[in-house]
């Protein structure tokens, strides 16, 4: 106990007593001596008491009486039974003595009724502040906190720790060694995907509390990939190489699963040897729910894929909370871009069309003469596929448009082989070859049958128009360039007469040089007379020694009459084939077509002379015993892969029965090759687009083993198409993270995608329950808002928004770029709040233990000891009790003053 004056300077007024005393003594001489003395004493006493009161006398002492508040955690992370706290409190108050008690319940909010607590979060600071506020000023504030150590809001405990003494009861009680926890921290998915498209779903697993080796850093964010048949449940460890040869004594393992629309499609193992984050990558196809929708709600669900990622620790002691082991995100299914399939003859591409349509890919089939000739016309297609198309059937204008479509617009281009494509189709040194990832030229060391070829070229006067004669010379030289030294070649030029420009001779280097010089001298003159030219070509070939003999006849006009049918039949009977080329509008296509039909060759109609070289190359290649074609059983060897093939088991893929020989370019990626290292499936990045070469076919017997003996045939082609498909510059990756009851949405797009302004995120919070809206059942929408996404880095946009536990959020992101709107739609479920983030939980738990010790409390005390040690002892926390004396002194001075008045007025 102590005594002090708050205003001691007031004692200066004591000097006023001297003149007052002399004045009062003089005035009291009329009274009797004893009465005057009593009155004088009372007056002096009154003034002294007033002076003492003005000086503010205060008495202080230590008060150890406590006001104890039992604060019971009722948040969702607490698993202890309600009776546990009730029994503890009941046992404690039996020994409370002079101390006072109260009980509150807390979670997100504070309440005296535990049923009124919002269990979706825990606010420990509010609970401690409430406990301190409940205690009267003259009591020591104290609390017994019942909690699991989780705090999801207001975790700045140090600021309130000095106001209240805290005993900490951790319930359910956690052994000291059980502080390991793993949870799914964030998930990354593409917001949109085509039906059947294989996409990557990345889950980031966080681990804390692992006893590990001191050496090395924690593995942070490394994504691993491994192969597995889709729909299986085999496990693999993408981080195995990081564990080999140096695993700590204590490791933590778990199994993470990916569910698509409720169906398990993939599972992987994840191993931790120290605290940190590990990334796990899943590869799965975007597929809607099965069956026909029964109502509008089911139809809406068919438009999205729900991905559920679930984490299962191998040992229960490695995971304190199960609530944070699930994460849900959605990918919107968008319609495929339309595919343009170009077929050489009617129905040649039908089987490929059927395979793609089984995988929900829309296909439009056209003939080569209907290929769009402009870049803008091609832009409405996501991909162009050529099925066994010879280069001669594609005009130079179409090739240029296709080149710009791929290189500048990011279009996709797939060429499927056959006897008229690649090497056999005369692709070598064309614009088509420049686009493709292969060089379309056979290996010179390959042996094949010898060819004797006679090129019969029209040199009539009309060939001067449009520089046709010059292009004919070029066509003849390119055709000769296709042949090998063992082949024989001759060039006949005809008008009204026929001359040998190049006699039929073996194609040695010397003969080739002479032939090219003679061809350059070819000039146009006179009229057209086909019959003598055919006769002369027949006579020369009949005497030639070769495995195959062939004539290519070109004409741009109406020929003089002749026995064309008889000549053609005679030629065919001699084992010589005839192909014809009708140049321009003045040619006789019917005559030329009949000659080719009888002669067993091909008939071409060439409207522009500029196409002549390509047609001659194509026909020469086809005549050269199917140049570069390798037939026979061909097992394939996988060299690399693409994302869409990650879930394929190619060990069960049958052998092909043939392909066209090519060479892979230096920068290309070969997926399959033959035993002779010839590419079978190869792709590369060409400008902004992708091109793919499949050197086998789709319609002949070469690929029949795949179609009939491989159940993944249709899916294989759908994945290949999705890989090559034109990708919009707005394609992005969406990452969703939950922290402190805030959902963070991070959109990453291509750096060259530059919105004109901002990206806005439209958000709808929905409940699972449905309600009637007219005749439809619709999800209940509780909240709508628009959030502006900030540009945090080139191509990266972020938004943050408060969310509620266990609600579905429909997200619609809208950006404007290049005069059009880009929309991403996805969704997510807030599976757990930050209440279940153990990286915070364990930190808060340690803080609570420290605060309890510093404030004189105990950790996990016995109920019987809560008051027992306090009663009868003056130790620990106290409050300073104060008693100001001035009111009492003033009251006493009032009574004395009244007594003095009584003495003066009382007659004696």
């Amino acid at each position: 106990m102590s005594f002090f004056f708050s205003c001691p300077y007031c004692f200066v007024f004591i000097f006023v007593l001297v003149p007052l005393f002399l004045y009062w003594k003089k005035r009291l001489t009329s009274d009797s001596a004893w009465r005057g003395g009593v009155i004088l004493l009372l007056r002096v006493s009154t003034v002294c008491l007033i002076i003492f009161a003005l000086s503010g006398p205060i008495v202080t002492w230590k008060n150890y009486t406590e006001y104890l508040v039992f604060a019971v955690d009722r948040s969702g992370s607490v698993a202890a039974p309600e009776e546990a706290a009730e029994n503890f409190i009941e046992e404690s108050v039996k020994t409370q003595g002079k101390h006072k008690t109260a009980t509150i319940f807390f979670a997100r909010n504070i309440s005296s009724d535990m049923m009124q607590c919002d269990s979706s979060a825990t606010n420990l600071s509010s609970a401690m502040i409430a406990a301190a506020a409940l205690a009267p000023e003259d009591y020591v504030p104290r609390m017994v906190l019942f909690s699991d150590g989780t705090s999801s809001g207001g975790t700045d405990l140090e600021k309130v720790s000095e106001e209240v003494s805290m005993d900490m009861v951790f319930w359910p009680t956690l052994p000291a060694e059980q502080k390991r926890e793993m949870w799914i921290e964030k998930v990354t998915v593409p917001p949109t995907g085509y039906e059947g498209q294989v996409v990557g779903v990345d889950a980031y697993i966080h681990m804390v509390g692992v006893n590990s080796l001191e050496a090395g850093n924690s593995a942070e964010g490394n994504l691993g990939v491994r192969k597995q048949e889709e729909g299986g449940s085999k496990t693999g460890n993408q981080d195995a190489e990081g564990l080999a040869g140096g695993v700590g004594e204590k490791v933590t393992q778990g199994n993470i699963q990916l569910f698509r629309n409720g169906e398990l499609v993939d599972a992987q193992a994840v191993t931790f040897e120290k605290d940190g984050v590990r990334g796990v990558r899943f590869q799965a196809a975007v597929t809607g729910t099965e069956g026909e929708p029964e109502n509008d709600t089911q139809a809406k669900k068919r438009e999205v894929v729900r991905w559920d990622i679930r984490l299962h620790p191998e040992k229960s002691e490695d995971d304190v909370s199960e609530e944070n082991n699930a994460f849900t995100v959605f990918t919107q299914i968008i319609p495929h871009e339309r595919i343009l399939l170009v077929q050489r003859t009617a129905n040649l591409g039908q089987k490929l069309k059927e395979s793609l349509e089984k995988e929900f890919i829309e296909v439009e089939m056209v003939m080569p003469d209907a290929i769009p000739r402009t870049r803008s016309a091609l832009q409405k297609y996501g991909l162009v596929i050529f099925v066994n198309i010879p280069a001669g059937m594609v005009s130079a204008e179409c090739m240029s448009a296709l080149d710009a479509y791929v290189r500048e617009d990011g279009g996709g281009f797939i060429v499927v082989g056959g006897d008229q494509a690649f090497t056999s189709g005369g692709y070598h040194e064309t614009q088509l070859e420049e686009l493709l990832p292969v060089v379309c030229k056979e290996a010179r060391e390959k042996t094949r049958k010898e060819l004797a070829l006679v090129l019969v070229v029209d040199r009539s006067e009309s060939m001067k128009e449009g520089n046709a004669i010059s292009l004919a010379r070029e066509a003849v030289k390119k055709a000769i360039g296709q042949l090998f030294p063992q082949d024989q070649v001759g060039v006949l030029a005809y008008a009204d007469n026929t001359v040998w420009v190049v006699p039929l001779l073996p194609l040695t280097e010397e003969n080739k040089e002479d032939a090219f010089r003679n061809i350059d001298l070819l000039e146009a003159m006179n009229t057209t007379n086909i019959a003598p030219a055919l006769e002369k070509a027949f006579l020369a070939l009949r005497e030639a020694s070769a495995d195959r003999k062939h004539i290519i006849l070109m004409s741009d006009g109406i020929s003089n009459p002749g026995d064309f049918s008889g000549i053609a039949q005679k030629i065919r009977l001699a084992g010589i084939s005839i192909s014809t080329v009708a140049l321009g509008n003045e040619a006789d296509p019917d005559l030329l077509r009949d000659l080719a039909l009888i002669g067993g060759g091909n008939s071409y109609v060439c409207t522009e002379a500029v196409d002549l070289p390509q047609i001659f190359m194509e026909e020469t290649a086809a005549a050269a015993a199917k140049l570069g074609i390798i037939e026979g059983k061909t097992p394939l060897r996988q060299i690399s892969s693409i994302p869409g093939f990650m879930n394929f088991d190619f060990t069960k893929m049958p052998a092909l029965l043939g392909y066209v020989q090519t060479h892979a370019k230096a920068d290309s990626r070969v997926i399959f090759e033959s035993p002779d290292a010839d590419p079978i499936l190869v792709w590369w990045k060409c400008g902004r687009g992708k091109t793919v070469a499949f050197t086998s076919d789709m319609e002949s017997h070469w690929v029949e083993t795949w179609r009939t003996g491989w159940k993944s045939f249709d899916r294989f082609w759908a994945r290949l198409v999705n890989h090559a498909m034109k990708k919009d510059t707005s394609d992005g990756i969406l990452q969703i993270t939950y922290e402190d009851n805030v959902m963070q949405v991070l959109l990453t797009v291509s750096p060259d995608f530059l919105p004109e302004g901002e990206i806005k995120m439209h958000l709808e919070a929905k409940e699972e329950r449905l309600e009637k809206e007219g005749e439809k059942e619709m999800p209940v929408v509780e909240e709508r808002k628009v959030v502006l996404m900030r540009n945090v880095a080139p191509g990266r946009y972020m938004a943050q928004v408060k969310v509620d536990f266990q609600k579905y959020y429909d997200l619609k992101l809208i950006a404007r770029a290049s005069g059009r709107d880009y929309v991403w739609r996805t969704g997510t479920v807030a599976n757990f709040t930050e209440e279940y983030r153990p990286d915070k939980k364990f930190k808060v738990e340690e803080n609570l233990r420290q605060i309890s010790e510093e404030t004189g409390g105990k950790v996990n005390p016995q109920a019987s000891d809560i008051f027992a040690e306090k009663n009868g002892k003056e130790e620990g926390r106290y409050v300073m009790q104060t008693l100001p004396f001035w009111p009492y002194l003033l009251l006493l001075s009032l009574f004395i003053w009244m007594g003095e008045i009584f003495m003066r007025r009382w007659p004696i």
Side-chain angles (χ1 to χ4, degrees), residues 76-95:
S77 63
V78 173
E82 299 174 3
E83 295 80 5
E86 295 177 359
N87 294 337
F88 190 99
I89 295 172
E90 183 178 348
E91 185 69 22
S92 299
V93 297
K94 291 180 180 179
T95 58

Side-chain angles (χ1 to χ4, degrees), residues 483-485 506-517:
L483 302 178
F484 289 170
L507 195 61
T508 63
E509 287 299 324
E510 183 180 355
N511 289 342
K512 182 185 287 189
E513 292 177 4
D514 292 339
F516 282 1
R517 280 195 296 270

